[in-house]
Amino acid sequence: MKLKLYIFSLILLSIATVSAQDVSFTSKVNKKKLGINERLRIDFEVNQDGDNFTRPDFEGFTIYSGPNQAVSRSWVNGKGTYSKTFSYILIPTKRGDFTIKQAEITINGEVYKSPPVEVTVTAAVDKPKDGNDAVYTASENIHLVAEVSKSNPYLNEAFTVVYKLYVSPEASVSNWREIDSPKFADFWSQNIDEKQFKVYDTEYEGEPYRYVILRRTVLYPQKTGKLNIEPLSLSVSVAVPTNRRDIFGRFLTQNANITVAAKNRTVDVKPLPLKGKPDDFTGAVGEFDFTVKTDKTSLDASEAFQLSVEASGNGNLKLFELPKPNLPSKLEVYEPENADQVRTNLSGMSGLKRSTYTVVPAYKGKYPIPSLSFSYFNPITERYERKISDEIVIEVKNGPVDSNSENTAITTNETNKQQVVVANKQFAYIKSTPNLQSITKKQFFKSSLFWALLGGPFLLIPIAMIVRKKRQAYTSDVQGSRIRKADKLARKFLSEAKKSLGNQKEFYIAMERALHNYLKAKLNIQTSDMSKDRITRLLKEREVDESTTIEFISLLESCEFARYTPSSNVAMQQDYDKAVRVISTMDKQL
C-alpha cells in the first residue's frame, strides 16, 4: 500500500513539474504607436489555469474597461489546449514613451510574470482609430512590400522586383485581386508566375508575421538615371478580431475589404562606360558565348548550305542584334531565319539567339567566310569583352567557272578537255516573251476606244464642276487647312524621327515636334498652351482613354529627359513604336 502511494505521489510530482515547465504567460497590444486621442487594447494570455492575477500599474494610461476574462479549451488529435486571457482597454493620459510593466499570476504555487511592452503615445491624430473598426485594424495588420534585388543596375542589366504580402497572426486573408498593376514604362519586363503560393514565417518591423510571394518580375532598364517603379495595388478581403466577445468570452471577428499598395521604389541606373566601348557594340549586356558554323563545307554549285550565327548565355538576349556575316559576292545569300530559344527566370534571360542564313554558291571554287566579332558588356567584371569566330572555307567542287575569275573552268577528264558554258548564257536561245502580232488589224472607227474618246469630254464636265466646288470649300476652310497642315507636319516629323534613330538628340527633337503638331491638328491649340495639365484636361474632355493619355504624356516626358540622360538604340526604337501606336489609338478616339 505504501509503495502504491509512493508511486502515485511521484506521478503527481512529475505532472506538476511538466506543467510548470510548459507555462506560457504573454502580453500583447493591438498597436505599438497611437495618438493621445486613441485607445489601446492589451491582452495578458496564459496557457494554464492560475490564481491571484495581478495587473501592472498602467503608468500614463487610465483603464477604460477591464479586466475582461476569456477561457478557451480545445482538443486536437487527442491533445488538449487551454488558454485564459485578461484584457484591458486603456486611454492614454499624456504623450511620451511608456513601458507597460509585468503582470503576475500564480500557477501551482509558483509566480509567473509577463514580459513588459513598450508603447509610444504621439500627438492627437486627425481621425482617431477605433479598435472595433475592422478596416483600420486590417490596415494595421496587412502590408504589401516590393523588394528590389539591385538598386543601382547598369543599363540593360537584369534585376528583380518581388512583391510580398505580409499578414499578422491577428488577421487572416481569404482573397485578393489586383486593382492597379505597375506599367514599367522605362523597362523591359517579364512576370514570373507563382505556380503555388507558399506561406513563410518571418518578422515585420520586429513583430511576428507570415508572408506569401504574390509575383516576381524581371526588369531590364532601358534608360539611365533615377527610374521609378510604380506600385502594385491590391484589394484584400480580411477577417480581423474586434474588442467585442461572444457569450463564451471569445473575441468576435469582422470581415473587411481594404486596399493595400506597395511603396514606390526607385532605382538609379548606371550608363555603360564609354571607356573601352567597341565600335561594333550593339547593346549586349551579360555573359555570352559566340559561334559561327555551317552544316557543310564541301558541296557542288547550286546546292545550298546553312550558315548559323549564334550567341548563347545569360543576358538581354531579346534586346540586341547579332552581327551580320560579310560573304563573297559570288555567294547568293537569303534573308536569315531567327530562331531564339530564350527562357526567363529570377536571374534574367538565358538561352541562345540564332540567325540562320541560306547560302547558294553559283560557281566552282573556294570561298572564305571571314571571322565575325561579337562584343558585349559584362556587368560582373564591369568591362567590355569580345568573342571572335574562326574563319570558314567553303569548297565548291563541281559547277561552272566564273568567266571573270582568273581560273579557267575545265572538266577533270584529261583526255577530253572541253570549255564549260557560262551559267547565265546556257539558255540564251530560248525567248521567254514571243512578241507576236495579229495578222488582222482592227479598225479605229466605231471601236470602243473611238466611243470612249468621243463621249469622255461630256462626262468630265459634271465631274469637273463637283471637283471645283469641293476645292473652293477646301480652300475656304481656314481652320481645317491649319489642322491639315499640322497633321501633315506631325507625320513629317515622325518620319524624320524614324530617320534619326541612333542619333539621340535629333530623334527626340523630331519626335517632340511630331507630338506637338499632332496636338495642334487634333485639339486646335498652340505650342505655348501645351502644358501637361492642359493636355491631360483636353484629352479627358474628348473622352480619350486614361491609359492612352498617360502614355502620351510619358512620351513627352521621355523627350524632355532625353536632353539630360543618355538613351540606348533599343529605347529609342521602343519610344518610336510607342508614339506610332499612341497616335493611331488617339486617332480612333478623337
Side-chain angles (χ1 to χ4, degrees), residues 20 63 105 125 132 183 230 336 383 406 420 422 505 570 589:
I63 299 176
I105 191 169
V125 297
N132 292 321
K183 299 294 188 299
E230 297 179 353
R383 59 187 179 89
E406 297 179 357
V420 178
V422 180
K505 181 178 180 181
V570 176
Q589 300 177 15

Side-chain angles (χ1 to χ4, degrees), residues 19-26 44-50 72 80-85 105 107:
S19 300
Q21 291 176 349
D22 293 337
V23 171
S24 174
F25 189 29
T26 61
F44 300 97
E45 184 176 343
V46 62
N47 66 343
Q48 292 190 24
D49 193 14
S72 174
T81 59
Y82 174 87
S83 174
K84 187 173 184 179
T85 304
I105 191 169
I107 300 174

Side-chain angles (χ1 to χ4, degrees), residues 256-509:
N257 289 322
I258 64 171
T259 299
V260 293
K263 295 181 180 179
N264 278 2
R265 299 300 302 269
T266 302
V267 293
D268 191 2
V269 181
K270 298 180 290 187
L272 299 180
L274 297 177
K275 182 179 179 181
K277 183 177 181 179
D279 294 335
D280 59 348
F281 178 70
T282 59
V285 177
E287 291 184 283
F288 302 99
D289 289 326
F290 180 68
T291 57
V292 178
K293 56 186 178 181
T294 61
D295 62 340
K296 60 182 74 172
T297 57
S298 178
L299 69 162
D300 295 335
S302 299
E303 289 186 22
F305 69 92
Q306 305 293 323
L307 174 65
S308 297
V309 180
E310 180 181 303
S312 60
N314 300 317
N316 59 338
L317 287 163
K318 295 182 179 180
L319 304 176
F320 64 85
E321 295 181 356
L322 291 171
K324 297 181 180 179
N326 184 18
L327 301 181
S329 59
K330 300 299 186 296
L331 300 178
E332 185 177 2
V333 185
Y334 293 86
E335 288 295 321
E337 296 181 4
N338 298 319
D340 298 344
Q341 299 176 12
V342 181
R343 58 187 179 276
T344 305
N345 51 34
L346 289 179
S347 61
M349 287 184 274
S350 61
L352 61 88
K353 185 182 186 71
R354 179 191 298 133
S355 294
T356 303
Y357 298 82
T358 299
V359 185
V360 180
Y363 304 104
K364 179 182 178 180
K366 292 185 177 181
Y367 300 94
I369 298 178
S371 60
L372 284 180
S373 173
F374 173 68
S375 59
Y376 60 93
F377 179 77
N378 190 332
I380 298 177
T381 61
E382 296 187 338
R383 59 187 179 89
Y384 293 95
E385 298 180 7
R386 182 185 297 275
K387 301 285 186 179
I388 300 176
S389 66
D390 297 329
E391 182 183 67
I392 303 174
V393 178
I394 302 298
E395 183 179 5
V396 181
K397 295 182 177 180
N398 299 314
V401 176
D402 184 11
S403 61
N404 296 326
S405 64
E406 297 179 357
N407 299 328
T408 303
I410 59 174
T411 61
T412 57
N413 190 345
E414 296 179 357
T415 61
N416 186 16
K417 297 182 180 181
Q418 182 180 358
Q419 187 172 2
V420 178
V421 181
V422 180
N424 59 1
K425 295 182 181 180
Q426 287 179 338
F427 304 100
Y429 60 88
I430 298 177
K431 293 185 178 180
S432 58
T433 54
N435 195 22
L436 302 177
Q437 296 182 356
S438 177
I439 298 175
T440 59
K441 295 183 179 180
K442 294 182 179 180
Q443 293 184 354
F444 174 73
F445 184 72
K446 293 185 179 181
S447 65
S448 299
L449 180 60
F450 172 81
W451 292 116
L453 293 176
L454 183 63
F458 296 98
L459 296 175
L460 291 175
I461 292 175
I463 296 175
M465 294 176 65
I466 295 172
V467 172
R468 183 179 179 184
K469 289 183 179 180
K470 291 286 185 180
R471 184 169 182 80
Q472 288 178 350
Y474 183 88
T475 55
S476 62
D477 185 8
V478 178
Q479 183 176 355
S481 176
R482 187 187 308 114
I483 291 174
R484 286 188 294 273
K485 182 178 180 182
D487 187 58
K488 182 179 179 181
L489 285 174
R491 299 181 186 280
K492 172 186 174 183
F493 285 121
L494 202 56
S495 175
E496 290 181 0
K498 184 176 182 181
K499 296 177 182 178
S500 301
L501 281 170
N503 187 333
Q504 178 181 344
K505 181 178 180 181
E506 298 297 331
F507 170 76
Y508 282 104
I509 289 175

Side-chain angles (χ1 to χ4, degrees), residues 160-172:
T160 58
V161 179
V162 179
Y163 294 95
K164 297 180 179 179
L165 184 64
Y166 286 83
V167 182
S168 168
E170 302 292 332
S172 62

Side-chain angles (χ1 to χ4, degrees), residues 72-132:
S72 174
R73 297 178 184 271
S74 63
W75 290 87
V76 179
N77 296 327
K79 183 178 181 181
T81 59
Y82 174 87
S83 174
K84 187 173 184 179
T85 304
F86 303 87
S87 299
Y88 293 86
I89 304 296
L90 306 178
I91 298 176
T93 58
K94 57 184 177 179
R95 290 189 289 173
D97 296 328
F98 300 96
T99 300
I100 298 178
K101 298 180 181 179
Q102 297 171 311
E104 296 181 357
I105 191 169
T106 302
I107 300 174
N108 296 327
E110 291 192 25
V111 177
Y112 294 88
K113 296 182 179 181
S114 65
V117 181
E118 302 289 337
V119 179
T120 300
V121 179
T122 63
V125 297
D126 293 336
K127 295 182 180 180
K129 302 299 182 179
D130 185 2
N132 292 321

